[in-house]
Amino acid sequence: MTTLNVLNPDAASATQGTDTHCPYCALQCGMTLTPEAIELTDANGHRVLDMHLEVSPRDFPTNKGGLCRKGWTSTKLLTHRDRLTTPLIRDRKGGPLRPASWDEALDKIAHSFQDVQQKYGRDAVGVFGGGGLTNEKAYWLGKFARVGLKTASIDYNGRFCMSSAAAANNRAFGMDRGLPFPLEDIPLAETILLVGSNPGETMPPFMQYFDEQKKRGGNLIVVDPRRTTTAESATLHLQPAPGTDLMLALGLLHICTRDNLLDHVFIAARTTGYRDAKRTVANYWPEYVEQVTGVPVAKLTEAAHLLARAKTAMTLTARGPEQQSKGVDTVSAFINLMLALGKVGPRGSGFGTLTGQGNGQGGREHGQKCDQLPGYRSINDPKAREHMAQVWGVEESEIPRAGKSAYEMLSAMGRPGGVRALLVVASNIVVSAPNVNEIKRGLDDLDFLVVSDLFLSETAQRADVVLPTAQWAEEEGTMTNLEGRVLWRKRAQEAPTGVWTDTKILSAIAQRLGAGDKFSTSEPREIFEELRAASRGGIADYSGISYEKIEAQDGVFWPCSDVENADHKGTPRPFEYSFPTPDGRARFQAVDYRPAGEEPDEEFPFYLTTGRVMGHYQSGAQTRRVPELAAAMPESFVEIHPAMAQIWGIQDGESVRVSSRRGEAILVAKFSATLRHDVLFAPFHWGGAGCANLLTNPALDPTSKMPEFKVCAAKIEKINEP
Ligand SMILES: Nc1nc2c(c(=O)[nH]1)N[C@H]1C(S)=C(S)[C@@H](COP(=O)(O)OP(=O)(O)OC[C@H]3O[C@@H](n4cnc5c(=O)[nH]c(N)nc54)[C@H](O)[C@@H]3O)O[C@H]1N2
Ligand SMILES: Nc1nc2c(c(=O)[nH]1)N[C@H]1C(S)=C(S)[C@@H](COP(=O)(O)OP(=O)(O)OC[C@H]3O[C@@H](n4cnc5c(=O)[nH]c(N)nc54)[C@H](O)[C@@H]3O)O[C@H]1N2
Ligand code: SF4
Ligand SMILES: [Mo]
């Protein structure tokens, strides 16, 4: 018997296994990876031994021993046969990709970037990052753009995810920490209003907290156009039309005001701006709100009273209300509601938003955003620029200014003034960006595309150079979960021969660009030390956090600037006594309703909304390659109400054409008797003809630049109709 796959001998000999976290979502469930020998039959029919990491759940505060199916199967991708293990180069447009050495690939990248910058200026080379990257990688990528390439053109997929909630939290509270309290506070809320979030599928172990809350006699109100598994478990389900959450929030505050349920002591003591907000709310009569949202007045009133009369209450939002062209105002309206009720701060009460990607929180703090420097600093703030110039050893004037947001940068690719070369690290934009026909056009018009990925994703397939990168269990780093808790993701085994880490790749390119002295390391721990210094004094201050401290106390909540005190746990509840605004008060925002960028009409009579299913993750580049997950959900589909399907002559399970003003997709019809009659729902986990983003509307929120993934107008047809 021969050994096929030689693992890190340290890990292989460890009997305890490695305590780490799941590679996927922001819950960052704790798991232990233990090496096990498995017997296989090779191509010649010989029995061989292979080493493989077994997953077992860990009793960590977020998952308390639970894992979803994606977590259980996550190690299958480490030894997957599709795994990239050598750089690939395309010699001419339209030609094939061929294997190449690292030197050849990196030289080609450096020359192409320099060539484009000489011809079109520095900002013509763009960088696109991802919220799945560790803090170290996200920080290194931001530094690579500003110091290595000296380009203003950097943004990331978090723009498509948390940007609306982030902007609303910043303007209300002066800080964007998705949940400003730990998950353990959730069961303390008598009433929870959960808006456009489906953790039953997107974070299954999270549901334990709602179960406990309900066991204590609490109420859960779910706002979702679909009757999801989460809505099924609720005390009350409100089913508004997509894109009308802002109206709903204004209506709830109107009812609470009318029925004298506000906390005027809290409003006076801890907030500003109430008078202006109150004035706008006066217009949102319950009957008017019912007309626009479709939620009956009786249910609106019941929800408002359940929330206002509870001693403790929480509102939690996720992508439903946020991925709209008015996502920021919508989140602001829900924050207003909680402030007016005096339900922000005391334990068991508060407003929070559920971050999605594994490091969605940390990934938006350390410089991947086009307008941001590490520590959640603004790139326009002269003091922040001075501080970073010192940390990086450059002149303040050399740090570029703010660039374009994600969709603005991507849709301008290849156009005058747009980027002509792009480096994509950890995102599959050909599947996940809105209006993908435009994204494909842009990628084709680029002079040069580089993609760093684990697999030949749909985006990597279009690249001029593809770089194979290490996976989660093969490198260490820190992740900041949905609670703002900084975690240590440990290394459990070595990466396969030929694969590099993203930090090593970036440092090697920087060297070839003449910035090697600023990128003299690629070790995560050394980069984390630099990140600590970079974030010191910023809003997201990590200066008091170390790997050892994280290990000792199940993670550290930022901000944490206490370097001396090894026991300092950081700040689990930053809003408990005051808000991090200049006057310590939270700020109401006067917001008014406006319709979605596109509403159903005669030609496109349905609302199309998009989202997730349990077994697949994001663009599906990873989970479509896990046999169990692919088998359970093999193809892209669209949910439709059976009564509407009958009108259109559509059978359950048949392939249909769904189209919008931007394109068409071929999807399998799936009947859902609990869906609103005017809504179609499609998940976005597939590429090709079944890609939901062929249809979505890139109407952007004016503040956050979030595209309207959750609302567009669409029609559905039988494929074989004349
Ligand atoms: N299985 C799985 N889990 C994941 C992910 C994944 O891809 N797959 N991704 C992770 C990431 S990055 C994220 S951001 C989170 C997202 O987590 P969620 O926000 O829970 O996921 P979504 O399915 O995008 O949207 C939630 C719900 O919003 C509803 N919705 C649609 N339109 C509207 C609307 O106009 N108003 C309201 N109120 N609701 C609406 C949808 O019906 C859906 O049930 O999940 C994380 N977890
Ligand atoms: N229609 C519609 N579209 C949406 C959404 C929606 O609700 N509806 N949601 C949006 C949201 S919330 C999000 S977060 C985005 C996510 O969409 P994407 O950014 O496309 O997310 P992923 O599929 O996670 O892409 C990650 C890619 O990086 C690779 N990868 C994983 N880890 C690493 C790493 O450490 N290094 C490198 N170099 N590569 C790595 C994976 O193999 C994969 O190809 O989609 C958005 N798009
Ligand atoms: S809920 Fe999220 S973190 Fe937990 S196992 Fe599933 S994908 Fe992983
Ligand atoms: Mo996300």
Side-chain angles (χ1 to χ4, degrees):
M1 200 173 279
T2 40
T3 301
L4 257 186
N5 198 356
V6 183
L7 297 178
N8 176 2
D10 301 344
S13 62
T15 45
Q16 296 290 319
T18 308
D19 285 347
T20 186
H21 298 272
C22 173
Y24 298 116
C25 85
L27 199 56
Q28 284 296 289
C29 295
M31 55 168 63
T32 304
L33 303 179
T34 316
E36 280 199 0
I38 47 168
E39 244 185 70
L40 297 172
T41 309
D42 73 7
N44 304 319
H46 300 129
R47 282 165 57 225
V48 290
L49 257 193
D50 196 0
M51 292 303 285
H52 154 84
L53 288 175
E54 259 315 291
V55 174
S56 46
R58 198 151 63 85
D59 189 19
F60 193 72
T62 56
N63 60 314
K64 298 188 189 175
L67 285 181
C68 82
R69 209 188 272 175
K70 299 188 296 303
W72 277 111
T73 54
S74 53
T75 54
K76 298 269 164 102
L77 294 177
L78 296 167
T79 48
H80 199 281
R81 64 186 145 78
D82 288 357
R83 181 104 195 247
L84 297 170
T85 52
T86 176
L88 303 172
I89 288 185
R90 194 186 313 276
D91 292 308
R92 57 184 165 76
K93 289 273 169 206
L97 283 165
R98 62 158 173 92
S101 71
W102 276 99
D103 269 333
E104 190 190 1
L106 296 169
D107 286 346
K108 187 175 166 86
I109 293 169
H111 288 148
S112 304
F113 283 173
Q114 280 168 331
D115 192 42
V116 165
Q117 287 191 318
Q118 262 157 25
K119 274 199 212 142
Y120 303 103
R122 285 185 170 150
D123 297 344
V125 176
V127 174
F128 197 89
L133 296 172
T134 59
N135 288 313
E136 291 78 357
K137 295 206 257 187
Y139 169 78
W140 217 231
L141 190 65
K143 177 177 175 182
F144 174 77
R146 273 70 179 240
V147 178
L149 285 168
K150 301 186 170 70
T151 179
S153 305
I154 174 169
D155 214 59
Y156 80 124
N157 69 5
R159 186 69 67 179
F160 301 153
C161 182
M162 284 292 295
S163 61
S164 289
N169 279 318
N170 277 326
R171 70 185 190 185
F173 305 122
M175 177 190 275
D176 153 36
R177 219 190 70 187
L179 289 180
F181 43 78
L183 292 180
E184 65 185 62
D185 287 6
I186 287 177
L188 306 179
E190 264 179 35
T191 296
I192 296 175
L193 177 66
L194 182 68
V195 190
S197 167
N198 184 16
E201 301 233 16
T202 53
M203 292 182 187
F206 189 112
M207 295 301 281
Q208 298 174 74
Y209 291 91
F210 293 141
D211 293 343
E212 203 183 319
Q213 183 247 359
K214 283 180 285 176
K215 230 187 270 161
R216 290 168 177 243
N219 293 300
L220 175 65
I221 309 168
V222 170
V223 182
D224 196 309
R226 299 187 302 139
R227 191 161 179 87
T228 57
T229 51
T230 312
E232 201 65 61
S233 75
T235 333
L236 180 64
H237 176 205
L238 310 183
Q239 237 174 323
T244 62
D245 302 85
L246 176 51
M247 174 68 79
L248 185 98
L250 290 162
L252 293 176
L253 184 50
H254 180 104
I255 294 169
C256 293
T257 310
R258 182 196 67 189
D259 298 348
N260 274 325
L261 296 169
L262 305 194
D263 184 341
H264 289 286
V265 176
F266 181 92
I267 294 172
R270 297 200 51 192
T271 71
T272 56
Y274 169 65
R275 270 145 136 272
D276 290 339
K278 180 184 170 183
R279 205 169 310 129
T280 58
V281 165
N283 303 325
Y284 296 91
W285 292 95
E287 292 71 19
Y288 173 38
V289 175
E290 170 176 331
Q291 205 187 339
V292 174
T293 62
V295 180
V297 171
K299 282 200 175 185
L300 291 169
T301 311
E302 188 185 350
H305 284 215
L306 278 176
L307 202 63
R309 293 188 191 278
K311 265 207 263 346
T312 48
M314 280 180 185
T315 290
L316 304 173
T317 65
R319 301 308 83 73
E322 297 166 15
Q323 289 175 326
Q324 300 183 13
S325 59
K326 52 178 175 298
V328 181
D329 284 354
T330 302
V331 175
S332 290
F334 284 106
I335 294 174
N336 286 350
L337 175 65
M338 298 311 279
L339 290 175
L341 296 175
K343 297 232 159 55
V344 182
R347 217 163 278 197
S349 285
F351 174 85
T353 187
L354 303 177
T355 295
Q357 298 185 84
N359 195 31
Q361 177 73 55
R364 67 182 188 269
E365 298 164 0
H366 301 298
Q368 288 188 81
K369 258 181 171 167
C370 67
D371 52 357
Q372 188 198 59
L373 291 174
Y376 223 126
R377 290 179 163 97
S378 163
I379 204 162
N380 297 318
D381 171 6
K383 274 215 211 107
R385 297 174 62 85
E386 277 301 341
H387 171 76
M388 283 316 302
Q390 219 176 6
V391 174
W392 285 339
V394 298
E395 291 297 317
E396 181 273 323
S397 57
E398 287 178 75
I399 299 177
R401 295 278 158 181
K404 292 189 183 111
S405 73
Y407 187 75
E408 293 172 306
M409 173 164 78
L410 297 178
S411 59
M413 283 186 297
R415 296 231 156 101
V419 298
R420 315 275 328 186
L422 186 69
L423 166 66
V424 180
V425 183
S427 182
N428 189 9
I429 46 180
V430 169
V431 176
S432 58
N435 190 16
V436 294
N437 280 328
E438 180 61 16
I439 303 297
K440 289 179 186 166
R441 191 277 314 148
L443 290 174
D444 287 347
D445 287 353
L446 285 179
D447 294 358
F448 190 66
L449 173 66
V450 190
V451 176
S452 158
D453 207 301
L454 329 168
F455 297 106
L456 199 61
S457 69
E458 285 80 357
T459 308
Q461 284 167 29
R462 290 170 177 263
D464 298 290
V465 178
V466 180
L467 302 173
T469 193
Q471 292 196 38
W472 57 293
E474 298 161 352
E475 55 183 340
E476 65 177 349
T478 59
M479 305 284 283
T480 306
N481 81 349
L482 78 173
E483 305 166 284
R485 188 197 296 259
V486 185
L487 309 170
W488 179 12
R489 182 190 271 182
K490 292 185 190 167
R491 201 180 70 156
Q493 67 177 36
E494 289 209 41
T497 318
V499 165
W500 285 21
T501 61
D502 289 310
T503 50
K504 185 171 170 186
I505 291 170
L506 294 172
S507 296
I509 304 173
Q511 189 131 38
R512 284 166 171 78
L513 295 172
D517 59 322
K518 307 281 191 290
F519 293 84
S520 57
T521 184
S522 55
E523 279 306 315
R525 275 172 192 258
E526 289 176 24
I527 295 173
F528 189 73
E529 288 309 307
E530 194 180 306
L531 185 160
R532 285 174 71 175
S535 74
R536 181 171 297 131
I539 294 172
D541 191 332
Y542 282 42
S543 61
I545 304 177
S546 67
Y547 283 29
E548 289 65 34
K549 212 162 161 176
I550 294 172
E551 168 91 332
Q553 53 193 39
D554 280 347
V556 181
F557 292 83
W558 71 259
C560 177
S561 55
D562 197 337
V563 190
E564 305 304 325
N565 183 352
D567 296 331
H568 189 253
K569 283 192 187 319
T571 319
R573 298 178 186 83
F575 305 161
E576 202 165 8
Y577 304 109
S578 79
F579 297 102
T581 51
D583 61 4
R585 289 160 176 263
R587 302 176 282 225
F588 277 94
Q589 306 292 323
V591 292
D592 257 313
Y593 181 69
R594 57 184 193 272
E598 196 177 72
E599 297 276 343
D601 54 21
E602 237 167 70
E603 194 185 355
F604 297 100
F606 285 94
Y607 285 106
L608 171 73
T609 191
T610 61
R612 296 161 165 80
V613 294
M614 204 255 274
H616 284 296
Y617 191 67
Q618 315 277 57
S619 73
Q622 291 163 277
T623 48
R624 280 184 276 123
R625 289 187 162 85
V626 177
E628 295 90 324
L629 301 177
M633 188 127 309
E635 57 199 353
S636 190
F637 64 88
V638 58
E639 285 181 4
I640 181 170
H641 193 281
M644 302 312 277
Q646 200 182 7
I647 295 173
W648 266 264
I650 289 164
Q651 309 293 317
D652 194 16
E654 83 170 307
S655 285
V656 291
R657 181 185 298 111
V658 178
S659 30
S660 75
R661 288 193 173 78
R662 289 149 298 279
E664 57 178 58
I666 305 300
L667 306 167
V668 174
K670 203 169 171 177
F671 285 7
S672 167
T674 53
L675 193 63
R676 282 177 60 110
H677 284 59
D678 54 357
V679 171
L680 303 173
F681 169 81
F684 75 102
H685 307 300
W686 287 270
C691 179
N693 278 317
L694 290 162
L695 309 168
T696 46
N697 187 2
L700 302 183
D701 181 285
T703 307
S704 66
K705 311 292 180 186
M706 165 73 83
E708 195 143 64
F709 288 118
K710 289 292 189 265
V711 202
C712 76
K715 68 177 168 196
I716 184 166
E717 297 161 295
K718 277 182 99 68
I719 286 182
N720 295 327
E721 216 146 47

